[in-house]
Amino acid sequence: MAKDRRLYAKFDINMDEHAKVIMLSDEAFRALFESTFYARRQLTDGFLDERIVLRKWGEKVANELSSNDPAKPSWVKVDGGWQIRDFGEHQTTTADIQAKREAGRLGGLAKASKVLAGATADAKHLPSNTLAKTETETETNTSFPTPETQTLFEEEKKPRKKPSTKIPDNWKPTEEHAKRARAKNLDVNQLAEHFKLHAETHDRRAANWNSAFTMWITKAQPKQATAWG
């Protein structure tokens, strides 16, 4: 069975009956959930840029969600927009994802080292002529015990190209980007606007912003383009 790679958000099943939720208007109730889905998709850690909020849900809804409880409203007004209250306590954050990826990388390298050590130990018990042949082949082919360990060690040796610059103020999508967007029935201008907003909001760095936007288009879904519009 294929692994389910969809993103999920977590909600208490009694949330709809909470005092500060049950009295919300239909529009605000919907926005409360949609904003969480949006923040999970875009990895904003619960931050909602003011331009996105006003375009998707409107000022009236934003005011309702930031005043539905005198002490702990659902949204908190912050510089540049709103923050979903206690987002990091209930939802997966960017830091959580990065930590999981790093743990997976280190675990893979540890496994590869163990396999390599086991293969070396086994080789010591081979007859001398076989051991000599094995060592010669290793020097000649520079191979690892399995394709998996070879890939892991080769990736570890490769120098990692770190992102180096902020997105330029004059950056704009290329014609190739426009073609890719049209092929997926997406509006390249809307995508570019949100791409720049995301990069500026999170102070992203990249070595090649055109390549980064190409990846953004690849991951974008038509329904997201509709929601932004």
Side-chain angles (χ1 to χ4, degrees):
M1 181 180 295
K3 186 176 181 179
D4 188 348
R5 298 187 180 278
R6 293 175 295 178
L7 296 180
Y8 289 88
K10 291 177 281 188
F11 295 98
D12 177 6
I13 60 173
N14 295 314
M15 180 178 174
D16 60 320
E17 295 182 349
H18 193 283
K20 67 181 180 182
V21 174
I22 196 170
M23 299 303 293
L24 291 174
S25 65
D26 290 345
E27 293 82 359
F29 183 82
R30 182 182 181 90
L32 180 60
F33 285 85
E34 284 185 344
S35 61
T36 301
F37 299 150
Y38 171 85
R40 281 286 289 115
R41 270 197 314 273
Q42 304 304 329
L43 301 179
T44 69
D45 292 343
F47 174 73
L48 306 170
D49 187 275
E50 183 174 14
R51 290 171 290 181
I52 298 299
V53 169
L54 297 181
R55 187 167 187 175
K56 286 175 67 67
W57 301 295
E59 185 176 6
K60 181 180 178 181
V61 165
N63 290 337
E64 184 176 354
L65 286 171
S66 56
S67 62
N68 61 333
D69 185 272
K72 296 183 177 181
S74 298
W75 289 3
V76 179
K77 191 72 175 72
V78 295
D79 185 29
W82 284 264
Q83 175 69 34
I84 301 174
R85 177 176 292 279
D86 298 334
F87 183 90
E89 295 182 16
H90 307 293
Q91 310 300 336
T92 303
T93 65
T94 303
D96 294 332
I97 295 173
Q98 292 174 344
K100 185 175 181 180
R101 287 175 179 171
E102 180 63 11
R105 186 184 73 84
L106 295 176
L109 291 174
K111 180 179 178 181
S113 298
K114 187 176 180 180
V115 171
L116 182 58
T120 302
D122 291 341
K124 291 181 180 180
H125 298 289
L126 294 173
S128 59
N129 62 333
T130 304
L131 181 59
K133 181 180 178 181
T134 302
E135 291 175 346
T136 301
E137 290 177 347
T138 301
E139 292 175 358
T140 303
N141 300 326
T142 61
S143 60
F144 290 91
T146 67
E148 178 186 14
T149 57
Q150 180 176 0
T151 300
L152 286 169
F153 277 101
E154 287 178 349
E155 288 182 351
E156 184 65 12
K157 288 181 179 180
K158 290 179 180 178
R160 297 183 181 275
K161 187 175 182 181
K162 297 182 179 179
S164 57
T165 62
K166 292 183 178 182
I167 190 167
D169 293 336
N170 62 348
W171 178 89
K172 62 181 180 180
T174 65
E175 181 57 33
E176 178 61 28
H177 290 143
K179 290 179 181 179
R180 287 176 178 268
R182 285 195 296 269
K184 295 186 66 175
N185 196 28
L186 297 168
D187 186 321
V188 71
N189 292 324
Q190 287 186 354
L191 283 175
E193 178 185 354
H194 193 269
F195 175 71
K196 292 182 69 174
L197 176 62
H198 182 80
E200 293 167 355
T201 299
H202 297 281
D203 194 24
R204 301 299 189 199
R205 300 290 194 280
N208 188 318
W209 283 103
N210 282 337
S211 296
F213 187 54
T214 297
M215 183 60 69
W216 185 276
I217 296 173
T218 301
K219 293 181 178 181
Q221 299 296 326
K223 63 181 180 181
Q224 292 179 1
T226 300
W228 298 337

